[in-house]
């Protein structure tokens, strides 16, 4: 298949691995964060880390939309169904994320809450039209990639003056999260996570373009290489990052030229700006409160804002005490560092959000069995 097979060619992968090993200087270490969960998934699925020299380490970032969703927001969605009798619609992965009181949206559904999995926001709009006497809420999550479809249904609901439809908006923004990571104590103090560069996200960059990353290269002296999701995309991006580090450069480079340009999708950006505005702050799982990192619905569309319609107040809720999902999302720990990983916490019984989504670091490690290759060597 075009744009698939040629980016999974084993011989080319071997050649790239040889180049990486040759150009990675043995007297230094390289730490590159792949921000996007799709890249984490590709690394685990195709065993890319095993092809890298020991001094080239990949650090998992917080780019899994389900994983960064805090418990308090899931509690809000469950409350709309249980306490307000609303039909709550959301994407499939969100259904299984642990919430308060041993609940999840899936378990709340089993208790009688009318919570429905949908494939797109347009499905929620259809449900609202089909149930005019019921409140229907779309629980909107995700990064910039999933934001335009949400904006479209809000604008369509306004056009139809649909009175029983609203959106609980939890859309978050990639650049703000990267800034937060770069300014975190772990990085500032060169303690646990010294970062030498970023593998920039693919789908997000199609929408926002490469320009928003230029500030990280300029102000933080961090190389960024935007990469596609195939194994050769990621390996080429790693090689490009190594070359930037070796040459003392800190630039934004675009490996994913077949889909990403500097400006991004201007039509989608205009639509999002029409419907949404920046929140002053938003809680991320693992990162805490992050300034200007999420979107809310503009006052012009307040009639379709579930937070306004139901007068929702946000209450933060701490994660499971033994779950290291927060540290994994910050890049401070790896999935195998968590005591619960592959014992108490599995995809069938997730204790934290990183094990729920296929883009989560824990789920990726578990699903492709890379953790089974880790030997425990006595000290």
């Amino acid at each position: 298949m075009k744009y698939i097979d040629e980016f999974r060619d084993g011989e080319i992968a071997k050649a790239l691995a040889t180049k990486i090993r040759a150009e990675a200087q043995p007297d230094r270490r390289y730490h590159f964060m792949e921000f996007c969960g799709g890249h984490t998934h590709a690394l685990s699925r195709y065993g890319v880390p095993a092809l890298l020299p020991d001094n080239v380490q990949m650090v998992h970032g917080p780019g899994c939309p389900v994983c960064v969703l805090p418990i308090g927001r899931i509690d809000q969605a469950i409350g709309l169904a249980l306490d307000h009798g609303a039909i709550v619609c959301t994407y499939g992965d969100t259904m299984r994320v642990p919430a308060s009181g041993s609940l999840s949206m899936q378990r709340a559904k089993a208790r009688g809450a009318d919570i429905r999995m949908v494939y797109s926001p347009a499905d929620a709009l259809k449900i609202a039209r089909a149930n005019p006497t019921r409140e229907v809420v779309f629980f909107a999550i995700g990064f910039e990639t999933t934001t335009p479809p949400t904006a479209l249904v809000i604008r369509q609901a306004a056009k139809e003056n649909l009175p029983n439809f609203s959106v609980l908006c939890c859309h978050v923004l990639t650049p703000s999260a990267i800034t937060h990571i770069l300014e975190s104590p772990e990085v500032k103090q060169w303690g646990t996570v010294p970062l030498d560069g970023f593998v920039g996200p693919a789908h997000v960059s199609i929408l926002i373009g490469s320009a928003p990353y230029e500030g990280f290269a300029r102000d933080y002296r961090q190389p960024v290489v935007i990469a596609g999701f195939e194994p050769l995309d990621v390996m080429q991006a790693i090689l490009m990052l190594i070359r930037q580090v070796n040459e003392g450069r800190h630039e934004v480079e675009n490996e994913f030229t077949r889909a990403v340009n500097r400006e991004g999708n201007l039509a989608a950006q205009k639509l999002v700006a029409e419907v949404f505005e920046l929140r002053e702050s938003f809680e991320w799982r693992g990162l805490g409160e992050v300034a200007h990192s999420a979107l809310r619905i503009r006052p012009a569309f307040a009639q379709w804002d579930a937070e306004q319609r139901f007068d929702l107040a946000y209450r933060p809720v701490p994660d499971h005490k033994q779950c290291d999902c927060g540290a994994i999302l910050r890049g401070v720990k790896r999935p195998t560092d968590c005591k619960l990983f592959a014992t108490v916490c599995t995809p069938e019984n997730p204790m934290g959000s990183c094990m729920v989504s296929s883009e989560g670091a824990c789920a990726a490690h578990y699903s492709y069995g890379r953790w089974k290759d880790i030997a425990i060597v006595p000290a």
Side-chain angles (χ1 to χ4, degrees):
M1 184 182 293
K2 188 171 177 59
Y3 297 130
I4 299 293
D5 294 343
E6 65 265 43
F7 289 92
R8 298 180 182 178
D9 188 293
E11 292 304 314
I12 298 177
K14 290 179 183 177
L16 276 172
T18 299
K19 286 185 179 181
I20 289 171
R21 289 180 180 276
E23 298 192 32
Q25 298 173 359
D27 59 343
R28 70 169 302 151
R29 298 188 68 81
Y30 303 81
H31 294 85
F32 301 130
M33 175 176 280
E34 85 277 0
F35 181 89
C36 181
H39 288 140
T40 302
H41 176 90
L43 287 167
S44 293
R45 179 179 180 183
Y46 296 104
V48 172
L51 300 176
L52 304 177
D54 292 340
N55 61 331
V56 177
Q57 297 290 319
M58 300 306 296
V59 179
H60 307 314
C64 164
V66 171
C67 303
V68 300
L69 195 63
I71 291 174
R73 295 293 173 184
I74 303 165
D75 286 350
Q76 283 184 329
I78 291 173
L80 288 172
L82 287 176
D83 302 332
H84 295 275
I87 300 173
V88 177
C89 305
T90 193
Y91 298 124
D93 278 356
T94 316
M95 298 283 288
R96 300 174 58 244
V97 180
S100 296
S102 300
L103 275 180
S104 65
M105 296 185 77
Q106 191 173 56
R107 289 175 177 172
K109 179 179 176 68
R111 291 189 182 183
D114 196 344
I115 298 175
R116 307 184 189 186
M117 185 190 79
V118 295
Y119 291 102
S120 78
D123 293 338
L125 204 61
K126 291 178 183 177
I127 291 170
R129 295 189 191 107
N131 296 270
T133 62
R134 299 280 305 279
E135 289 285 344
V136 176
V137 180
F138 176 60
F139 184 27
I141 72 156
F143 288 91
E144 291 90 341
T145 314
T146 56
T147 305
T150 304
L152 276 174
V153 295
I154 292 173
R155 194 170 70 173
Q156 184 62 32
K159 182 179 179 180
E160 297 178 22
N161 196 25
L162 199 62
N164 65 322
F165 178 77
S166 59
V167 171
L168 178 57
C169 180
C170 293
H171 285 299
V172 290
L173 304 173
T174 300
S176 301
I178 295 177
T179 300
H180 189 81
I181 290 167
L182 290 172
E183 294 183 347
S184 68
E186 289 93 350
V187 174
K188 279 186 175 180
Q189 298 168 12
W190 294 103
T192 315
V193 195
L195 294 175
D196 298 297
F198 287 87
V199 177
H203 289 156
V204 165
S205 300
I206 294 173
L207 186 82
I208 69 174
S210 63
Y213 307 108
E214 292 171 0
F216 306 122
R218 181 186 64 250
D219 301 335
Y220 296 93
R221 303 177 68 83
Q222 287 285 331
V224 179
V225 177
I226 297 164
F229 284 129
E230 297 303 325
L232 298 189
D233 285 317
V234 181
M235 293 184 71
Q236 179 64 32
I238 293 169
L239 179 60
M240 293 166 73
L241 284 169
I242 289 171
R243 287 173 175 170
Q244 282 206 50
V245 172
N246 289 349
E247 296 166 12
R249 294 185 291 117
H250 36 88
E251 303 169 3
V252 177
E253 293 183 315
N254 182 14
E255 183 277 338
F256 198 28
T257 55
R258 63 190 186 274
V260 173
N261 58 35
R262 186 175 185 277
E263 294 77 23
N265 187 326
L266 297 178
Q269 293 171 25
K270 181 179 179 182
L271 171 65
V272 169
E274 176 189 344
V275 177
F276 296 109
E277 63 184 10
L278 276 177
R279 292 180 185 262
E280 290 185 5
S281 183
F282 190 83
E283 184 190 7
W284 292 50
R285 189 184 298 245
L287 300 183
E289 289 288 333
V290 181
H292 308 298
S293 66
L295 298 174
R296 65 185 175 200
I297 299 170
R298 287 188 179 277
F301 296 93
Q303 183 178 341
W304 295 276
D305 184 347
E307 289 186 81
Q308 300 293 325
R309 177 174 296 190
F310 296 98
D311 194 24
L312 298 181
Y314 181 69
R315 182 177 65 89
V317 180
D319 286 332
H320 190 290
K321 289 182 179 179
Q322 290 182 297
C323 175
D324 282 330
C325 186
I328 292 165
L329 288 168
R330 293 195 305 277
V332 176
K333 290 188 177 182
R334 293 178 175 273
T336 49
D337 295 330
C338 181
K339 295 178 181 178
L340 304 182
F341 178 79
T343 54
V344 176
C345 184
T346 66
E348 292 74 30
N349 183 46
M351 302 301 293
S353 58
C354 294
M355 188 62 89
V356 173
S357 171
S358 60
E359 292 190 7
C362 295
H365 276 248
Y366 187 95
S367 297
Y368 298 109
R370 302 298 169 192
W371 54 279
K372 295 177 183 177
D373 299 329
I374 298 173
I376 301 176
V377 181

